[in-house]
Each structure stands twice: as C-alpha cells, then as structure tokens.
Amino acid sequence: MFELIIWISLALIASSSFLLMIRLIKGPSVPDRAISLDAIGINLVGITAIMSIVLDTSAFLDIILLIGILAFIGTVSIAKFLEKGEIIENDRNNQ
Amino acid sequence: MKKTGLKTNDLILQTITKIVLFIVIIFSFHLFFAGHNAPGGGFIGGLITSGAIVLLLIAFDVKTVKSILPINYVKVAAFGLLIAILSGIGSFLFGVPFLSHTHGHVHIPLLGDTHLATAVIFDLGVYFVVVGVTMTIIQTIGETE
C-alpha cells in the first residue's frame, strides 16, 4: 500500500514536470520560461526526496538542499539579467 | 536586452541574501567536514562557498563585495595548492611514501573522543583551490565594462 502511494506521487510529480516542460518550450515570454525552470527545479527536489524513500537511503538529503540553493541563485541571476541587463555590476551607487 | 539606467532598489533581495548567505556557508562547511564518512568533500564544499559569494555579488556589486571580503582569489588558489603539496610532503617526515595519510582517535577536551584524519588537510587544499579558481573566473567575467 505504502509502495503504491510512493509510486503514484512520483508519477504525479513527473507529469507535473512534463507539463512545466511544455510551458518551458511554448512560453511566449522569457519570464514564463524562467518561472517554469524554477518550478522544475523544485519538482526535482520532490523527486529526489521520494527516490531516497524508495531506495531507503539518507545519502541524498544533502542533494535536496543543494538543488534548492542552486535553483534560488539561478532564478535570481536570470531575474537580474532580465531587469538590468547585467548580472554582476561593478559599482551600483555611482555609474 | 535593454539596459535601464534607473537605480533599482533591491531591498528584498539584499535582506534575503543577508540571511541565506550564512545558511549556505554553514551548509558548505558541513559538506566539507562530512566528506570522510558521507557524500561531500572539498570540491562540493568549495563550490557551495563560491556560490554564496556569487549570491553576494548578485545582490550587491563588485566594489562592495571587495570591501567586505578583501581577498585576492588567485592567491587563495595558490595557497590551496601549497597546502595540498605540504600535506603530501609531510609524510616524508615519518619515513613513509609521498601522500601517505593516517588517522586516529584523539581526545579533545570539549568534543570528547574525535576521529581525526590527515586527509582533511589535503581536502582543505582542494577547497581553497576550488574557491579561488571559481571566484577568479566569475570576477574576471563580471568586471568587464
């Protein structure tokens, strides 16, 4: 019963990632694609957590936090590129 | 992409960066010290530390980060290589081949019985090389006008 629930939730997250992939390909504007990429990253966190339950190991728990940090930094840098045109500024106070 | 000449106010990003930065750096130290018995090590620890500094560079700018962390990252990479070589040469003092590592249980007053390994010194060298090389690449690209 527990195993069935695990596989069903894994299939649901996978189909959610698939639908987000459609938005990533079709998305009319760039922010649509950025948000769908961020949500795919968060779905990847869920997939990693469920797979670590399936494989009965705690070795992947660091990966979960790692994907969260990388998704945050990546999304912030995409947002800053869309907003200002450059990701790392030289001097923001007097330019 | 168009460049807006406007001054933007990144209050939310800068406040979140000030909190998240310490969590990310502590996580990188955890990965560095967990490398002996669990997934982790000097390479991924150095990458996460440089990821934290990159977050600081995104939220602020190159000049501010240079005033917070006045570090020449090329020297950090050279220092890491020096530590790694010295940890290998140190094995000559005990009459064993190059890069021989040992470990043992040491009683430390506050921490109790601790399992210490000299491979951590080599891993520290890897950590500094990774931080130095990554930050040199990113700062060199980011400094272009």
Side-chain angles (χ1 to χ4, degrees):
Chain A
M1 187 61 192
F2 182 69
E3 190 113 336
L4 183 70
I5 293 171
I6 290 291
W7 288 111
I8 286 174
S9 53
L10 198 59
L12 285 176
I13 294 180
S15 57
S16 156
S17 295
F18 180 72
L19 293 175
L20 283 166
M21 191 76 88
I22 293 175
R23 173 56 67 199
L24 183 67
I25 295 168
K26 284 186 64 174
S29 65
V30 182
D32 285 333
R33 296 191 167 100
I35 289 177
S36 76
L37 208 57
D38 190 48
I40 286 174
I42 303 303
N43 273 344
L44 209 57
V45 170
I47 290 173
T48 314
I50 293 175
M51 281 314 286
S52 71
I53 295 174
V54 169
L55 298 173
D56 197 16
T57 175
S58 65
F60 299 143
L61 298 184
D62 286 341
I63 313 288
I64 293 172
L65 194 51
L66 189 63
I67 295 173
I69 291 168
L70 288 183
F72 174 67
I73 294 177
T75 309
V76 163
S77 50
I78 290 173
K80 189 160 181 192
F81 180 72
L82 293 177
E83 180 74 20
K84 297 204 76 170
E86 56 181 349
I87 295 174
I88 298 174
E89 298 161 278
N90 272 319
D91 191 0
R92 81 166 43 212
N93 291 322
N94 41 27
Q95 56 180 350
Chain B
M1 196 57 58
K2 68 177 191 299
K3 260 192 190 180
T4 55
L6 297 171
K7 269 193 179 178
T8 47
N9 188 5
D10 296 338
L11 181 65
I12 297 175
L13 176 61
Q14 290 179 354
T15 312
I16 287 180
T17 298
K18 285 171 196 165
I19 299 167
V20 166
L21 186 78
F22 293 102
I23 302 173
V24 176
I25 286 180
I26 288 170
F27 178 56
S28 78
F29 287 166
H30 163 74
L31 277 178
F32 172 73
F33 286 114
H36 196 71
N37 300 316
F43 187 77
I44 187 73
L47 278 181
I48 300 297
T49 304
S50 48
I53 304 172
V54 166
L55 185 61
L56 206 58
L57 278 172
I58 292 170
F60 297 94
D61 49 68
V62 174
K63 201 179 167 190
T64 314
V65 174
K66 261 185 186 166
S67 67
I68 299 169
L69 295 169
I71 300 169
N72 187 355
Y73 289 104
V74 179
K75 285 179 183 168
V76 171
F79 180 65
L81 273 179
L82 185 71
I83 289 179
I85 290 171
L86 285 180
S87 81
I89 287 176
S91 60
F92 286 144
L93 298 175
F94 301 95
V96 286
F98 185 61
L99 278 175
S100 299
H101 287 286
T102 182
H103 59 90
H105 290 269
V106 183
H107 193 79
I108 297 175
L110 210 57
L111 297 172
D113 188 32
T114 313
H115 182 222
L116 294 179
T118 53
V120 176
I121 304 171
F122 185 80
D123 229 16
L124 192 70
V126 175
Y127 177 86
F128 280 126
V129 170
V130 170
V131 171
V133 169
T134 315
M135 290 316 296
T136 306
I137 292 171
I138 289 172
Q139 277 200 334
T140 312
I141 294 171
E143 268 176 355
T144 50
E145 288 293 322

Short mmCIF file of all heavy atoms in Angstrom, two decimals, chain A residues 41-90:
data_model
loop_
_atom_site.label_atom_id
_atom_site.label_comp_id
_atom_site.label_asym_id
_atom_site.label_seq_id
_atom_site.Cartn_x
_atom_site.Cartn_y
_atom_site.Cartn_z
N GLY A 41 12.89 22.83 -11.04
CA GLY A 41 13.91 22.57 -10.03
C GLY A 41 13.29 22.14 -8.72
O GLY A 41 13.78 21.21 -8.06
N ILE A 42 12.19 22.79 -8.32
CA ILE A 42 11.54 22.42 -7.06
C ILE A 42 10.90 21.04 -7.17
O ILE A 42 10.91 20.26 -6.22
CB ILE A 42 10.51 23.50 -6.65
CG1 ILE A 42 11.20 24.86 -6.56
CG2 ILE A 42 9.88 23.17 -5.33
CD1 ILE A 42 12.35 24.89 -5.59
N ASN A 43 10.36 20.71 -8.36
CA ASN A 43 9.85 19.35 -8.57
C ASN A 43 10.95 18.32 -8.45
O ASN A 43 10.73 17.21 -7.96
CB ASN A 43 9.20 19.24 -9.95
CG ASN A 43 7.75 19.64 -9.90
OD1 ASN A 43 7.16 19.73 -8.84
ND2 ASN A 43 7.19 19.91 -11.06
N LEU A 44 12.16 18.71 -8.91
CA LEU A 44 13.31 17.81 -8.82
C LEU A 44 13.64 17.52 -7.36
O LEU A 44 14.05 16.40 -7.03
CB LEU A 44 14.49 18.46 -9.52
CG LEU A 44 15.53 17.57 -10.15
CD1 LEU A 44 14.87 16.65 -11.14
CD2 LEU A 44 16.57 18.42 -10.82
N VAL A 45 13.45 18.54 -6.48
CA VAL A 45 13.64 18.31 -5.05
C VAL A 45 12.70 17.21 -4.56
O VAL A 45 13.11 16.27 -3.85
CB VAL A 45 13.41 19.62 -4.27
CG1 VAL A 45 13.36 19.35 -2.79
CG2 VAL A 45 14.50 20.61 -4.56
N GLY A 46 11.41 17.32 -4.97
CA GLY A 46 10.43 16.31 -4.56
C GLY A 46 10.76 14.93 -5.09
O GLY A 46 10.65 13.93 -4.37
N ILE A 47 11.21 14.87 -6.37
CA ILE A 47 11.56 13.58 -6.96
C ILE A 47 12.74 12.96 -6.21
O ILE A 47 12.75 11.76 -5.91
CB ILE A 47 11.89 13.75 -8.46
CG1 ILE A 47 10.61 14.09 -9.24
CG2 ILE A 47 12.51 12.50 -9.03
CD1 ILE A 47 10.86 14.44 -10.67
N THR A 48 13.73 13.81 -5.86
CA THR A 48 14.89 13.29 -5.12
C THR A 48 14.48 12.76 -3.76
O THR A 48 14.94 11.69 -3.32
CB THR A 48 15.94 14.40 -4.94
OG1 THR A 48 16.13 15.06 -6.17
CG2 THR A 48 17.24 13.82 -4.48
N ALA A 49 13.57 13.48 -3.08
CA ALA A 49 13.13 13.04 -1.75
C ALA A 49 12.40 11.70 -1.85
O ALA A 49 12.65 10.77 -1.07
CB ALA A 49 12.22 14.10 -1.14
N ILE A 50 11.49 11.57 -2.84
CA ILE A 50 10.73 10.32 -2.96
C ILE A 50 11.63 9.17 -3.37
O ILE A 50 11.49 8.04 -2.89
CB ILE A 50 9.56 10.52 -3.96
CG1 ILE A 50 8.55 11.49 -3.37
CG2 ILE A 50 8.88 9.21 -4.25
CD1 ILE A 50 7.45 11.83 -4.29
N MET A 51 12.62 9.46 -4.25
CA MET A 51 13.54 8.38 -4.64
C MET A 51 14.41 7.94 -3.47
O MET A 51 14.78 6.77 -3.37
CB MET A 51 14.42 8.82 -5.80
CG MET A 51 13.74 8.76 -7.16
SD MET A 51 12.85 7.25 -7.44
CE MET A 51 14.20 6.13 -7.72
N SER A 52 14.73 8.88 -2.55
CA SER A 52 15.51 8.45 -1.39
C SER A 52 14.66 7.61 -0.44
O SER A 52 15.19 6.78 0.29
CB SER A 52 16.11 9.64 -0.65
OG SER A 52 15.11 10.35 0.00
N ILE A 53 13.32 7.78 -0.47
CA ILE A 53 12.45 6.87 0.29
C ILE A 53 12.43 5.50 -0.39
O ILE A 53 12.53 4.47 0.26
CB ILE A 53 11.03 7.45 0.41
CG1 ILE A 53 11.04 8.72 1.23
CG2 ILE A 53 10.08 6.44 1.04
CD1 ILE A 53 9.73 9.42 1.27
N VAL A 54 12.33 5.51 -1.74
CA VAL A 54 12.25 4.25 -2.48
C VAL A 54 13.52 3.44 -2.29
O VAL A 54 13.48 2.23 -2.02
CB VAL A 54 12.00 4.53 -3.98
CG1 VAL A 54 12.18 3.26 -4.79
CG2 VAL A 54 10.62 5.09 -4.19
N LEU A 55 14.68 4.12 -2.38
CA LEU A 55 15.96 3.42 -2.26
C LEU A 55 16.36 3.19 -0.82
O LEU A 55 17.39 2.56 -0.57
CB LEU A 55 17.06 4.21 -2.98
CG LEU A 55 16.84 4.39 -4.48
CD1 LEU A 55 17.88 5.31 -5.05
CD2 LEU A 55 16.89 3.05 -5.18
N ASP A 56 15.59 3.73 0.13
CA ASP A 56 15.81 3.53 1.57
C ASP A 56 17.21 3.98 1.99
O ASP A 56 17.97 3.24 2.61
CB ASP A 56 15.57 2.07 1.95
CG ASP A 56 15.38 1.93 3.46
OD1 ASP A 56 15.12 2.96 4.10
OD2 ASP A 56 15.49 0.80 3.97
N THR A 57 17.56 5.22 1.62
CA THR A 57 18.87 5.76 1.98
C THR A 57 18.72 7.23 2.38
O THR A 57 17.77 7.89 1.98
CB THR A 57 19.83 5.65 0.79
OG1 THR A 57 21.06 6.29 1.15
CG2 THR A 57 19.28 6.30 -0.44
N SER A 58 19.66 7.69 3.21
CA SER A 58 19.65 9.11 3.57
C SER A 58 20.82 9.84 2.92
O SER A 58 21.16 10.94 3.33
CB SER A 58 19.74 9.26 5.09
OG SER A 58 20.97 8.77 5.54
N ALA A 59 21.41 9.23 1.87
CA ALA A 59 22.59 9.84 1.24
C ALA A 59 22.23 11.00 0.33
O ALA A 59 23.10 11.77 -0.04
CB ALA A 59 23.35 8.78 0.45
N PHE A 60 20.94 11.11 -0.04
CA PHE A 60 20.55 12.15 -1.00
C PHE A 60 19.99 13.39 -0.33
O PHE A 60 19.56 14.31 -1.02
CB PHE A 60 19.51 11.60 -1.98
CG PHE A 60 20.00 10.44 -2.80
CD1 PHE A 60 19.16 9.40 -3.12
CD2 PHE A 60 21.31 10.41 -3.24
CE1 PHE A 60 19.62 8.35 -3.86
CE2 PHE A 60 21.77 9.35 -3.98
CZ PHE A 60 20.92 8.32 -4.30
N LEU A 61 19.97 13.42 1.02
CA LEU A 61 19.31 14.55 1.68
C LEU A 61 20.09 15.83 1.48
O LEU A 61 19.51 16.92 1.45
CB LEU A 61 19.14 14.24 3.17
CG LEU A 61 18.27 13.03 3.46
CD1 LEU A 61 18.08 12.87 4.95
CD2 LEU A 61 16.92 13.14 2.79
N ASP A 62 21.45 15.74 1.33
CA ASP A 62 22.23 16.93 1.04
C ASP A 62 21.90 17.49 -0.34
O ASP A 62 21.91 18.70 -0.55
CB ASP A 62 23.73 16.61 1.12
CG ASP A 62 24.18 16.45 2.55
OD1 ASP A 62 23.46 16.93 3.43
OD2 ASP A 62 25.23 15.83 2.77
N ILE A 63 21.60 16.55 -1.28
CA ILE A 63 21.30 16.98 -2.65
C ILE A 63 20.05 17.85 -2.68
O ILE A 63 19.95 18.78 -3.47
CB ILE A 63 21.09 15.74 -3.56
CG1 ILE A 63 22.20 14.73 -3.34
CG2 ILE A 63 21.02 16.13 -5.00
CD1 ILE A 63 23.51 15.12 -3.89
N ILE A 64 19.07 17.54 -1.79
CA ILE A 64 17.82 18.30 -1.77
C ILE A 64 18.09 19.76 -1.45
O ILE A 64 17.65 20.67 -2.17
CB ILE A 64 16.87 17.67 -0.74
CG1 ILE A 64 16.44 16.28 -1.21
CG2 ILE A 64 15.67 18.54 -0.50
CD1 ILE A 64 15.67 15.52 -0.19
N LEU A 65 18.89 20.00 -0.38
CA LEU A 65 19.23 21.37 -0.01
C LEU A 65 20.05 22.04 -1.10
O LEU A 65 19.86 23.23 -1.41
CB LEU A 65 19.99 21.34 1.32
CG LEU A 65 20.17 22.64 2.08
CD1 LEU A 65 18.85 23.34 2.23
CD2 LEU A 65 20.75 22.35 3.43
N LEU A 66 20.93 21.25 -1.73
CA LEU A 66 21.78 21.77 -2.80
C LEU A 66 20.95 22.24 -3.99
O LEU A 66 21.19 23.33 -4.52
CB LEU A 66 22.75 20.66 -3.22
CG LEU A 66 23.87 21.03 -4.16
CD1 LEU A 66 24.76 22.03 -3.47
CD2 LEU A 66 24.65 19.81 -4.51
N ILE A 67 19.96 21.43 -4.40
CA ILE A 67 19.12 21.83 -5.54
C ILE A 67 18.33 23.09 -5.19
O ILE A 67 18.16 23.99 -6.03
CB ILE A 67 18.17 20.68 -5.94
CG1 ILE A 67 18.96 19.49 -6.47
CG2 ILE A 67 17.22 21.13 -7.05
CD1 ILE A 67 18.10 18.29 -6.72
N GLY A 68 17.86 23.19 -3.93
CA GLY A 68 17.14 24.39 -3.52
C GLY A 68 18.00 25.63 -3.63
O GLY A 68 17.57 26.66 -4.18
N ILE A 69 19.26 25.56 -3.13
CA ILE A 69 20.16 26.72 -3.19
C ILE A 69 20.47 27.08 -4.64
O ILE A 69 20.42 28.25 -5.03
CB ILE A 69 21.45 26.40 -2.41
CG1 ILE A 69 21.17 26.31 -0.92
CG2 ILE A 69 22.50 27.45 -2.65
CD1 ILE A 69 22.31 25.73 -0.13
N LEU A 70 20.76 26.06 -5.46
CA LEU A 70 21.14 26.35 -6.85
C LEU A 70 19.97 26.93 -7.63
O LEU A 70 20.15 27.84 -8.45
CB LEU A 70 21.65 25.08 -7.54
CG LEU A 70 23.02 24.61 -7.07
CD1 LEU A 70 23.45 23.41 -7.85
CD2 LEU A 70 24.04 25.71 -7.19
N ALA A 71 18.74 26.42 -7.37
CA ALA A 71 17.56 26.96 -8.06
C ALA A 71 17.34 28.41 -7.67
O ALA A 71 17.02 29.26 -8.52
CB ALA A 71 16.32 26.13 -7.72
N PHE A 72 17.57 28.73 -6.38
CA PHE A 72 17.40 30.12 -5.94
C PHE A 72 18.41 31.04 -6.61
O PHE A 72 18.03 32.09 -7.17
CB PHE A 72 17.53 30.20 -4.42
CG PHE A 72 17.50 31.59 -3.88
CD1 PHE A 72 16.34 32.34 -3.95
CD2 PHE A 72 18.62 32.15 -3.31
CE1 PHE A 72 16.31 33.62 -3.47
CE2 PHE A 72 18.60 33.43 -2.82
CZ PHE A 72 17.44 34.17 -2.90
N ILE A 73 19.70 30.64 -6.60
CA ILE A 73 20.73 31.52 -7.18
C ILE A 73 20.50 31.68 -8.68
O ILE A 73 20.60 32.77 -9.24
CB ILE A 73 22.13 30.96 -6.88
CG1 ILE A 73 22.40 31.02 -5.37
CG2 ILE A 73 23.20 31.76 -7.60
CD1 ILE A 73 23.73 30.44 -4.98
N GLY A 74 20.14 30.58 -9.36
CA GLY A 74 19.90 30.64 -10.80
C GLY A 74 18.73 31.54 -11.15
O GLY A 74 18.82 32.37 -12.07
N THR A 75 17.63 31.42 -10.40
CA THR A 75 16.46 32.23 -10.70
C THR A 75 16.73 33.70 -10.43
O THR A 75 16.30 34.57 -11.19
CB THR A 75 15.27 31.74 -9.87
OG1 THR A 75 15.14 30.35 -10.04
CG2 THR A 75 14.00 32.41 -10.32
N VAL A 76 17.46 33.98 -9.32
CA VAL A 76 17.79 35.38 -9.00
C VAL A 76 18.66 35.98 -10.09
O VAL A 76 18.45 37.13 -10.52
CB VAL A 76 18.48 35.45 -7.63
CG1 VAL A 76 19.18 36.77 -7.45
CG2 VAL A 76 17.47 35.28 -6.53
N SER A 77 19.64 35.19 -10.61
CA SER A 77 20.51 35.77 -11.65
C SER A 77 19.77 35.97 -12.96
O SER A 77 20.00 36.96 -13.65
CB SER A 77 21.75 34.91 -11.83
OG SER A 77 21.39 33.58 -11.99
N ILE A 78 18.82 35.04 -13.29
CA ILE A 78 18.02 35.25 -14.51
C ILE A 78 17.17 36.50 -14.36
O ILE A 78 17.08 37.34 -15.27
CB ILE A 78 17.13 34.02 -14.79
CG1 ILE A 78 17.98 32.84 -15.21
CG2 ILE A 78 16.13 34.32 -15.89
CD1 ILE A 78 17.18 31.56 -15.34
N ALA A 79 16.56 36.67 -13.15
CA ALA A 79 15.71 37.83 -12.92
C ALA A 79 16.51 39.12 -13.01
O ALA A 79 16.04 40.12 -13.57
CB ALA A 79 15.03 37.72 -11.56
N LYS A 80 17.75 39.10 -12.48
CA LYS A 80 18.55 40.32 -12.53
C LYS A 80 18.99 40.63 -13.95
O LYS A 80 19.06 41.80 -14.34
CB LYS A 80 19.75 40.19 -11.60
CG LYS A 80 20.47 41.50 -11.47
CD LYS A 80 21.34 41.59 -10.27
CE LYS A 80 21.97 42.96 -10.24
NZ LYS A 80 23.03 43.04 -9.25
N PHE A 81 19.26 39.58 -14.73
CA PHE A 81 19.62 39.83 -16.14
C PHE A 81 18.46 40.44 -16.90
O PHE A 81 18.63 41.36 -17.70
CB PHE A 81 20.06 38.53 -16.80
CG PHE A 81 20.44 38.69 -18.24
CD1 PHE A 81 21.61 39.34 -18.57
CD2 PHE A 81 19.61 38.24 -19.24
CE1 PHE A 81 21.96 39.52 -19.89
CE2 PHE A 81 19.95 38.42 -20.56
CZ PHE A 81 21.13 39.06 -20.88
N LEU A 82 17.23 39.94 -16.64
CA LEU A 82 16.07 40.49 -17.33
C LEU A 82 15.80 41.92 -16.88
O LEU A 82 15.34 42.75 -17.67
CB LEU A 82 14.83 39.63 -17.04
CG LEU A 82 14.86 38.23 -17.61
CD1 LEU A 82 13.61 37.48 -17.20
CD2 LEU A 82 14.96 38.28 -19.10
N GLU A 83 16.10 42.23 -15.62
CA GLU A 83 15.78 43.55 -15.09
C GLU A 83 16.81 44.59 -15.50
O GLU A 83 16.45 45.68 -15.95
CB GLU A 83 15.71 43.46 -13.56
CG GLU A 83 15.38 44.75 -12.86
CD GLU A 83 13.93 45.14 -13.01
OE1 GLU A 83 13.10 44.26 -13.33
OE2 GLU A 83 13.62 46.31 -12.81
N LYS A 84 18.10 44.29 -15.36
CA LYS A 84 19.13 45.31 -15.52
C LYS A 84 20.02 45.11 -16.72
O LYS A 84 20.77 46.00 -17.08
CB LYS A 84 20.01 45.37 -14.27
CG LYS A 84 19.25 45.77 -13.03
CD LYS A 84 20.16 46.37 -12.02
CE LYS A 84 20.54 47.78 -12.41
NZ LYS A 84 21.24 48.48 -11.33
N GLY A 85 20.02 43.90 -17.32
CA GLY A 85 20.86 43.68 -18.49
C GLY A 85 22.24 43.17 -18.14
O GLY A 85 22.99 42.76 -19.01
N GLU A 86 22.63 43.22 -16.85
CA GLU A 86 23.91 42.63 -16.43
C GLU A 86 23.69 41.96 -15.08
O GLU A 86 22.89 42.42 -14.26
CB GLU A 86 25.02 43.66 -16.38
CG GLU A 86 24.71 44.83 -15.47
CD GLU A 86 25.82 45.85 -15.47
OE1 GLU A 86 26.89 45.53 -16.00
OE2 GLU A 86 25.61 46.94 -14.94
N ILE A 87 24.41 40.87 -14.84
CA ILE A 87 24.17 40.09 -13.63
C ILE A 87 25.01 40.62 -12.49
O ILE A 87 24.53 40.82 -11.38
CB ILE A 87 24.47 38.60 -13.90
CG1 ILE A 87 23.48 38.06 -14.94
CG2 ILE A 87 24.34 37.80 -12.63
CD1 ILE A 87 23.78 36.67 -15.38
N ILE A 88 26.32 40.88 -12.74
CA ILE A 88 27.20 41.37 -11.69
C ILE A 88 27.63 42.78 -12.07
O ILE A 88 28.28 42.99 -13.10
CB ILE A 88 28.43 40.45 -11.53
CG1 ILE A 88 27.97 39.06 -11.10
CG2 ILE A 88 29.39 41.02 -10.51
CD1 ILE A 88 29.07 38.06 -11.04
N GLU A 89 27.24 43.74 -11.23
CA GLU A 89 27.57 45.13 -11.53
C GLU A 89 28.93 45.49 -10.94
O GLU A 89 29.38 44.87 -9.98
CB GLU A 89 26.53 46.07 -10.93
CG GLU A 89 25.15 45.85 -11.48
CD GLU A 89 24.11 46.44 -10.56
OE1 GLU A 89 23.75 45.79 -9.58
OE2 GLU A 89 23.70 47.57 -10.81
N ASN A 90 29.57 46.53 -11.51
CA ASN A 90 30.83 46.99 -10.94
C ASN A 90 30.59 47.87 -9.73
O ASN A 90 31.14 47.63 -8.67
CB ASN A 90 31.61 47.78 -11.99
CG ASN A 90 32.48 46.87 -12.81
OD1 ASN A 90 33.09 45.96 -12.27
ND2 ASN A 90 32.52 47.08 -14.10
#
